[in-house]
Amino acid sequence: MPRLTLRQLGYACVVLGLVAVSGVSMAQTESVTSLREAREAAEARDQQRLMSFLDDQQALEAALAQARAEHEEALQQHETLEAQQAEQTEQASALSERQAEQGEALSGLLANLARHSSEIRNALGGESLLTLEEGSLPPRLDEVEVLERHQLESVVDQLATLTARTGRAERLSMPVADANGEVATRELVRLGDFAAFTESELLERGQNDGSLVVLPRTPSAIGGLLADYYQGESNVLAVDPTQGSVLEALAQQPSLWERFQQGGYVGYVVVALGVLGMIIGLGQYLYLVLVSLRVKRQRQSLDQLRDNNPLGRVLLRFEGMDKHQTPEALEARLDEAVLAELPKLERSQPMVKLLAAIAPLLGLLGTVTGMIVTFQAITVFGTGDPQLMAGGISQALVTTVLGLITAVPLLFVQTALAGRSRYLTHVIEGQASATLADHLESHTPMVN
């Protein structure tokens, strides 16, 4: 067996060190059942690798060169870190000297500026309309140790700008997100920190990124003023002094259609019956008005009887009677003719009266069902969240209102129908009685 030179022994030591490290790492990752078997397997692999390096002189020299390169790189990083540490030490020393030179007055000024700057940033943040532009808030000075002149000027300038914006109406062009989440650059007007709006919609700051978004609903009373103010045609605009609380309450007020939907299926039935009753009642009232006009014309020309009105039909039937009957018989026949016309004049009145009576009962039914829904919500979720009970309470109240709103007009319609038909009945009966009296007087012999 040939002897190993000193150089080869050095190479072998380096390789043994590298192999030992790699062997340990490999042994940790393998799943073995015995530590002794793992150690023996690692030693066998290391011995085999060492022999391969000894046999291959070029691979051994390459490994040694790589180790030297890594050592040089580590030395350079160490020198760089020492240089950085020395530089930071010098900066810290310079800052300490400058801070000592400033004295207590400037230190107090820095503390006050830092406190006010933080308070303003926390108060305005992403909620105020004054901070729509980037860089409009004063810088934070919490981590500043030495007050610089440009920092003082920046804080003062930003505070002055924010103060001026509070009393100024400005026209801006900024990205605005609509109700569908689509963002587009739009022209808008900012009125201090009170309101921001486009030509037809109010805007607010978003909760996530602080961008401008369109209010879900702009109150109609305010929306009518926006267009004129935006176009410069008016200087009147409603402003919410509570910074949005009143507008939010107004925006949450449901519209008429939303109120109607809160009634649920019972509300739909009540309104449907009310509409049906109004159609029936108005149709019958128009018919009675037409009959009244025809009866009026008939009374003005009794010598020309027509069958297009109840009075003309009654008088025509009277003329066709046998006049030699007794007065009682003629009167009974005439009453029969009048009674035959009454169903046409009084039709639809029972239906309208029935619907007027049913509507409040259906409203009461909706009230009961709404309270059932409310108590079910209380049973499941408790009374901690009033919004969970609002649906049932809204249904209970809305159906009651719909029932009353439906019943009241139907009662007026039924009263109008009854009054009009009663008037026509009296006119027909009176004219028929007058005709019978004239006939009886003309055929009664004169007594000397």
Side-chain angles (χ1 to χ4, degrees), residues 356-424:
I358 288 178
L361 297 179
L362 290 177
L364 180 60
L365 175 62
T367 302
V368 175
T369 56
M371 296 307 299
I372 291 175
V373 173
T374 302
F375 286 121
Q376 287 178 347
I378 294 175
T379 303
V380 177
F381 303 102
T383 59
D385 190 356
Q387 292 183 352
L388 297 175
M389 300 181 291
I393 297 175
S394 298
Q395 179 180 350
L397 298 178
V398 169
T399 51
T400 304
V401 173
L402 290 176
L404 297 176
I405 292 177
T406 302
V408 172
L410 290 179
L411 288 176
F412 279 105
V413 171
Q414 195 273 336
T415 302
L417 292 176
R420 177 66 64 171
S421 62
R422 192 179 303 111
Y423 167 75
L424 290 175

Side-chain angles (χ1 to χ4, degrees), residues 212-377:
L212 287 173
V213 296
V214 177
L215 278 179
R217 178 187 299 161
T218 300
S220 57
I222 299 177
L225 303 174
L226 294 182
D228 295 339
Y229 191 92
Y230 184 87
Q231 296 173 1
E233 299 177 357
S234 173
N235 57 356
V236 177
L237 181 67
V239 176
D240 184 7
T242 63
Q243 299 291 324
S245 300
V246 175
L247 286 177
E248 184 178 358
L250 292 176
Q252 291 179 354
Q253 290 184 352
S255 61
L256 183 60
W257 173 248
E258 291 174 344
R259 287 287 191 192
F260 172 70
Q261 289 180 326
Q262 290 176 354
Y265 295 106
V266 178
Y268 299 153
V269 173
V270 172
V271 174
L273 293 180
V275 172
L276 177 62
M278 292 297 294
I279 293 175
I280 294 174
L282 293 178
Q284 178 64 15
Y285 191 80
L286 292 177
Y287 169 75
L288 293 179
V289 171
L290 180 61
V291 171
S292 299
L293 295 176
R294 292 177 178 177
V295 169
K296 183 177 180 180
R297 287 195 297 266
Q298 184 65 69
R299 292 179 65 185
Q300 294 175 355
S301 58
L302 294 176
D303 54 344
Q304 296 180 358
L305 300 179
R306 305 179 183 86
D307 59 354
N308 62 350
N309 61 91
L311 179 59
R313 288 191 292 269
V314 169
L315 296 181
L316 286 174
R317 187 171 179 181
F318 178 75
E319 287 187 355
M321 294 180 185
D322 185 7
K323 301 301 188 298
H324 298 89
Q325 301 181 34
T326 61
E328 291 78 7
L330 291 175
E331 184 178 2
R333 293 293 182 183
L334 192 60
D335 290 340
E336 180 184 359
V338 173
L339 292 175
E341 298 294 335
L342 292 182
K344 295 180 180 180
L345 300 178
E346 296 178 354
R347 66 184 177 186
S348 302
Q349 294 184 29
M351 177 60 68
V352 175
K353 189 175 182 179
L354 176 63
L355 293 177
I358 288 178
L361 297 179
L362 290 177
L364 180 60
L365 175 62
T367 302
V368 175
T369 56
M371 296 307 299
I372 291 175
V373 173
T374 302
F375 286 121
Q376 287 178 347

